[in-house]
Amino acid sequence: MNFSAVDHGMMARALQLAERGLWTTSPNPRVGCVLVRDGEIIGEGWHEKAGEPHAEVHALRAAGEQARGATAYVTLEPCSHHGRTPPCAEALVAAGVSRVVAAMTDPNPLVAGKGLAILQAAGIETAAGLLENEARELNIGFVSRMTRGRPWLRLKAAASLDGKTALNNGASQWITGPDARRDGHAWRARACAILTGIGTVRDDDPQLLVRDVETTRQPLRVVVDSRLETPLSARVLQGGPVLIAGAVDDAEKAALLRSTGAEVLILPNAAGKVELKALLEALAQRGVNEVHAEAGFKLNGSLLREGLVDELLLYLAPCLIGHEASGLFNLPALTTLDDKHPLQIRDLRQVGADIRVVARPQ
């Protein structure tokens, strides 16, 4: 279908609105809606928080009676099912809109075209696919959970220009500057869960909370701890929900960790380690769309080797540390460059004094 310049402009505005929910809508998708009549915006809204009205409802309330005969631009197909809120497709029908343009169809099997079908059955003109790539990127974690049964995993790491993350004595704070660290917290804030390993907990004793940027919630903290060795005094066990993923069914250790308020999940693989793919699937079942991994050399390598890393978020500081320092990823030695791990760079920019690279495995 051919879309006009007005169509493009209004959908771009809807995407801007949807982005306002970047940190608050989980586990729901980020959605924006713009209602237009005679070329003028008469109502707009975005989904602000799970359990609260969807974007279409906010826009319809703003438009009132003017919605009759209007065109609705929505970044995701209007929902067709009763969840914590009524179906938006039915609300659009009741309001008497004449046309609905969706950036993309909903990957949720409960919707998946049914919302558009309700509109079409009511005689409303529908179209989909306008700025679809942009809409998909905005909800990449939701799409991943709905289509693959696991969240989108973004692996964040900070290193020197020679790819080193820490000295041999373990010192790693701070390789990058304050601007890069603040930017990293903004990425933490948009995630549903922050993943790390027991090595990082022992070495750095991090809280893994969002700081430096405003947030209305703290993500779930997840620790991969095969032997359930997380110290009861660890700071990660304080300040919000925590899940410890283990591989040994040690009832005594698990009970002690649960006494701190942590959830303990035992997911062993054949090697006696945590089955990482099963862990991600379990997180998806809990409504986790995006996982932000901040781990060490070993867990980073395991996630990459098992094909579970969807995106790399790397901060490179303008310094050199030397070849004996710790590297980024525990990966096996290659015998030929044909076996290298190709990446597609999606974004490259300077953040303060440091360089930020966003790349995806090909």
Side-chain angles (χ1 to χ4, degrees):
M1 175 176 288
N2 292 325
F3 295 104
S4 69
V6 171
D7 290 336
H8 278 85
M10 295 304 174
M11 187 61 78
R13 173 58 183 165
L15 285 164
Q16 286 179 339
L17 293 167
E19 195 170 354
R20 295 184 184 181
L22 194 63
W23 301 278
T24 59
T25 64
S26 175
N28 290 353
R30 300 134 182 166
V31 182
C33 177
V34 174
L35 286 169
V36 177
R37 187 170 181 176
D38 299 326
E40 299 291 332
I41 294 176
I42 57 172
E44 58 183 28
W46 68 95
H47 183 43
E48 299 174 19
K49 189 177 181 181
E52 296 184 0
H54 289 186
E56 297 93 323
V57 174
H58 285 299
L60 289 169
R61 287 176 180 173
E65 288 300 316
Q66 293 185 84
R68 188 162 301 277
T71 294
Y73 296 89
V74 193
T75 58
L76 185 69
E77 175 187 2
C79 63
S80 59
H81 64 293
H82 284 268
R84 284 189 274 183
T85 58
C88 291
E90 293 180 4
L92 290 166
V93 171
V97 302
S98 62
R99 179 176 179 237
V100 175
V101 180
M104 61 179 288
T105 56
D106 195 330
N108 185 345
L110 294 174
V111 184
K114 298 183 183 71
L116 292 176
I118 289 173
L119 298 169
Q120 291 162 1
I124 296 172
E125 179 187 348
T126 65
L130 176 60
L131 301 184
E132 180 173 359
N133 289 339
E134 291 83 350
R136 188 172 293 272
E137 285 293 320
L138 187 62
N139 283 308
I140 200 161
F142 179 77
V143 172
S144 175
R145 179 163 68 89
M146 290 297 160
T147 60
R148 303 189 302 177
R150 64 179 177 89
W152 181 266
L153 191 144
R154 183 178 294 111
L155 193 159
K156 179 260 182 181
S160 60
L161 277 184
D162 52 348
K164 302 301 179 181
T165 62
L167 303 182
N168 275 347
N169 62 13
S172 62
Q173 297 180 335
W174 297 102
I175 289 177
T176 54
D179 291 330
R181 297 198 297 274
R182 190 177 304 110
D183 189 70
H185 277 268
W187 286 91
R188 271 188 190 183
R190 69 172 281 171
C192 309
I194 301 174
L195 178 72
T196 196
I198 181 59
T200 299
V201 170
R202 278 196 302 245
D203 294 343
D204 299 338
D205 194 20
Q207 281 188 293
L208 293 181
L209 296 173
V210 176
R211 304 184 306 276
D212 298 335
V213 296
E214 290 187 14
T215 183
T216 58
R217 62 166 176 82
Q218 290 291 343
L220 171 70
R221 276 89 48 82
V222 182
V223 180
V224 177
D225 179 9
S226 294
R227 298 185 180 86
L228 302 181
E229 295 173 329
T230 300
L232 300 183
S233 60
R235 296 201 305 158
V236 75
L237 296 176
Q238 305 162 14
V242 180
L243 186 151
I244 307 294
V248 295
D249 197 4
D250 188 316
E252 183 178 351
K253 286 183 176 180
L256 287 171
L257 288 167
R258 290 189 178 108
S259 72
T260 70
E263 179 184 358
V264 178
L265 190 62
I266 306 301
L267 296 168
N269 63 15
K273 302 289 186 181
V274 173
E275 178 56 58
L276 296 173
K277 184 171 184 290
L279 172 58
L280 293 180
E281 291 169 349
L283 292 176
Q285 291 169 6
R286 287 162 169 77
V288 170
N289 292 328
E290 293 184 21
V291 172
H292 179 93
E294 290 194 27
F297 176 73
K298 291 182 180 179
L299 182 53
N300 285 349
S302 296
L303 290 166
L304 278 168
R305 285 196 306 274
E306 296 184 30
L308 301 176
V309 175
D310 297 304
E311 191 165 70
L312 292 167
L313 175 64
L314 303 180
Y315 295 90
L316 300 176
C319 64
L320 303 173
I321 295 181
H323 73 281
E324 292 187 359
S326 299
L328 283 163
F329 311 111
N330 180 19
L331 294 172
L334 303 180
T335 57
T336 171
L337 284 175
D338 291 338
D339 295 332
K340 64 183 180 291
H341 301 266
L343 302 171
Q344 179 190 35
I345 294 179
R346 303 277 300 187
D347 187 71
L348 178 65
R349 67 183 65 188
Q350 188 165 345
V351 179
D354 305 303
I355 295 171
R356 189 187 77 189
V357 182
V358 179
R360 294 180 184 172
Q362 290 184 316

